[in-house]
Structure formats: structure tokens, C-alpha cells
Amino acid sequence: MASTTSKPHTEETVYVYEAPVRLWHWINALAILVLCLSGYLIGKPLPAIGGEAYDHFMFGKIRFAHFVAGQILVVGFVFRFYWAFVGNAHAREIFHVPLTRGSYWKEIWHEIKWYAMMEKSPKKYTGHNPLARISMHILFVWGIVFMILTGFALSGEGEGPGVIHTLFTSWVIPLFGQSQDVHTWHHMGMWVIVIFVIVHIYAAVREDIMSRQSIISSMFSGWRTFKDDGSPD
């Protein structure tokens, strides 16, 4: 009788996300959560509570939480931008997108078809896949920049003349037309971030299951494991 032997299963593990990137990711996620919750309450305040307002100072605490989380977001973003230059190649993926490379757009189209269930198998990438990379660059990086500029403009308006007012309020509010317009766009930006976070979580869970790659755990350990045979593209 002829004997058959099966090829042993192998899993490749690659170190992708450095500790500073992982730490920033979770601090940034917490800051965005606080910003969205407090920002929603600022845009749609809670009903009046009994007694004098100064006995509770609830809205003041909400605004304080919003301002603190916003400052943490700004400091973290500046640090993350700095780490894109001193970290590994994966640290700068969300800041630099090779839009002029023709093959990159083909890879994006492949990922779109993969998410639409039109491809049988995904490609493997050690870092962000091309679609995730351009989405992070446009919706997250530039979205956060937009929220920082409009947020500081509104903050400077409340504080009055000063450094913040000079650097941001003096030109951002006139650019949009008036203060209420900036409020509206800032509030709409919050919903863009909320939708992005929902899609981001869904995509991470989906890829962890369907693409046979350790997506979620890699942001805790830093290591990406490919559970099927074959090297990443």
C-alpha cells in the first residue's frame, strides 16, 4: 500500500506595531471615546436638573472632559506624527500613501472586491492593507486635523484674545463664515469619526476571522501572525 504524507502546517509571525504605536493607539481610542460622548452632550445638552446650576456644574464637567480629551488627542497626534519618522516602516503607513503607483490602485480594487465578497481569498500584508491605508489617511489623519483646527477655533472663541485665538480662531471662523457654521461642521466631523470607528472595528474583526491573520491581537502584542501557509505580499 502506498503511504501518503501531508505537508506540515506553518504559521509565519512578523513584528509590525512597535510599543509606542500600540500605546498611542489605545490612548487615542480612549480620548476619541470621551470626545464623542462629551461632544454629543455639548451639541445636545441633557435636560435641566433640579436645583441651581452651580450646585451641580454638570455641563462644566462635560466641557472640561471634552477639553482635556482634546488636548490629549493633540499631544498624541503630534507624537504619532513624530514617530512616523523615527519608527519602523509600518509606523508611517497612515501618513504616506503611494497614490502615484499604479499597482497600488489595483491592490485597492482587489481589497474592495474582497470586502464585497467578490474575491475568493485575500492578499496578505504585514501592515495595513492598501484600502485600510488610504482610508486611515483620508478619514482618520485628515479628519483628526480638521477636528483639531475647528476645535481650537471654537475654544479660542470662548477664551477670547490670546494665543489660541490668534493661531486658530482668527482665521478658521472667517473661513467658514461664522461661529455657528464651525460648530455645525465640527459636530458633523464627530459623526464621520464615529462612522469610521464602527467600520474600523468591523473590518478588524472580519479580517481576523476571514483573512486568517491576527489583526486585533497585533495591536496588543505588536506581532502579526499569518495562520495559513504562505508569506505576506
Side-chain angles (χ1 to χ4, degrees):
M1 294 180 64
S3 61
T4 59
T5 58
S6 59
K7 183 180 178 181
H9 173 68
T10 59
E11 293 186 357
E12 184 173 351
T13 302
V14 182
Y15 187 66
V16 178
Y17 300 117
E18 299 165 300
V21 173
R22 304 197 307 272
L23 181 63
W24 165 82
H25 177 275
W26 294 114
I27 293 176
N28 187 71
L30 180 60
I32 289 177
L33 177 62
V34 174
L35 282 166
C36 289
L37 292 176
S38 58
Y40 176 81
L41 294 174
I42 291 173
K44 189 176 182 180
L46 294 170
I49 55 179
E52 295 292 337
Y54 60 76
D55 290 331
H56 305 281
F57 199 61
M58 179 178 293
F59 200 75
K61 293 177 181 177
I62 293 173
R63 292 180 76 249
F64 178 75
H66 193 75
F67 293 159
V68 170
Q71 293 169 13
I72 293 175
L73 180 79
V74 172
V75 173
F77 188 80
V78 172
F79 164 78
R80 183 64 179 82
F81 184 73
Y82 160 76
W83 197 259
F85 293 94
V86 300
N88 61 16
H90 301 291
R92 49 184 164 270
E93 284 181 340
I94 65 174
F95 291 98
H96 176 260
V97 183
L99 298 177
T100 58
R101 198 180 74 202
S103 59
Y104 181 75
W105 291 101
K106 293 180 180 179
E107 293 170 349
I108 290 178
W109 178 238
H110 179 277
E111 291 302 314
I112 292 175
K113 292 192 293 182
W114 163 246
Y115 280 104
M117 306 294 183
M118 297 170 61
E119 286 286 346
K120 294 182 179 180
S121 60
K123 291 185 177 181
K124 299 178 181 181
Y125 300 94
T126 53
H128 294 94
N129 69 57
L131 182 60
R133 187 172 177 178
I134 193 172
S135 299
M136 291 282 290
H137 180 76
I138 296 175
L139 297 176
F140 177 75
V141 173
W142 289 109
I144 292 298
V145 170
F146 175 83
M147 296 301 284
I148 289 173
L149 291 177
T150 53
F152 270 125
L154 295 172
S155 176
E157 182 186 36
E159 292 180 1
V163 176
I164 300 299
H165 190 282
T166 302
L167 293 178
F168 299 97
T169 311
S170 60
W171 65 273
V172 173
I173 291 182
L175 180 65
F176 283 85
Q178 59 177 332
S179 176
Q180 185 56 48
D181 292 332
V182 181
H183 278 279
T184 301
W185 282 101
H186 191 72
H187 191 73
M188 291 175 62
M190 179 200 75
W191 287 111
V192 171
I193 297 296
V194 169
I195 294 173
F196 168 80
V197 170
I198 294 173
V199 174
H200 178 65
I201 295 174
Y202 161 74
V205 174
R206 180 187 186 276
E207 288 301 280
D208 214 315
I209 298 172
M210 297 187 64
S211 69
R212 304 283 295 163
Q213 303 174 39
S214 60
I215 305 296
I216 299 175
S217 62
S218 64
M219 196 48 71
F220 290 95
S221 66
W223 293 87
R224 173 73 51 83
T225 300
F226 300 91
K227 303 173 187 178
D228 291 333
D229 295 330
S231 300
D233 297 301

